[in-house]
Amino acid sequence: LEDLAIIRGVNTAPEERNKGYAASVCSVLVQRLLQESKDVMLYVSKDNPAAIKVYRKIGFKKTGHVFLGFMAKRKKAMLT
């Protein structure tokens, strides 16, 4: 696993979307990781076509792997 770099949690503020920031930043990051002889993997939701488009644009390919994730909501603290 030392040679594996995982990219996740890439977010762009709504008002800054469609300006190429995600593609630029991710592209440079991936180039640097590859120069360090890392295998690069990322997680993206199948329900996020905008992100998938960015990742395909910079050279990622769908592998067919499916990962399950679970999200829990934090309970609000009760004030007494």
Side-chain angles (χ1 to χ4, degrees):
L1 292 175
E2 292 176 9
D3 296 331
L4 179 64
I6 300 172
I7 299 173
R8 65 184 185 108
V10 176
N11 295 295
T12 303
E15 65 274 10
E16 299 300 330
R17 292 181 182 159
N18 299 310
K19 296 180 180 179
Y21 298 142
S24 294
V25 171
C26 288
S27 181
V28 169
L29 175 60
V30 170
Q31 286 176 6
R32 289 185 181 175
L33 291 168
L34 291 173
Q35 288 171 352
E36 294 176 14
S37 298
K38 301 284 186 185
D39 292 321
V40 184
M41 181 174 88
L42 65 82
Y43 298 112
V44 63
S45 170
K46 66 179 179 180
D47 299 327
N48 191 344
I52 292 169
K53 181 179 177 182
V54 168
Y55 300 138
R56 285 191 174 147
K57 178 179 179 180
I58 63 174
F60 280 93
K61 294 182 179 10
K62 183 177 178 181
T63 62
H65 294 285
V66 177
F67 296 94
L68 296 177
F70 299 91
M71 185 178 283
K73 289 188 179 182
R74 202 179 308 176
K75 291 184 179 180
K76 291 183 181 179
M78 295 184 64
L79 300 175
T80 56

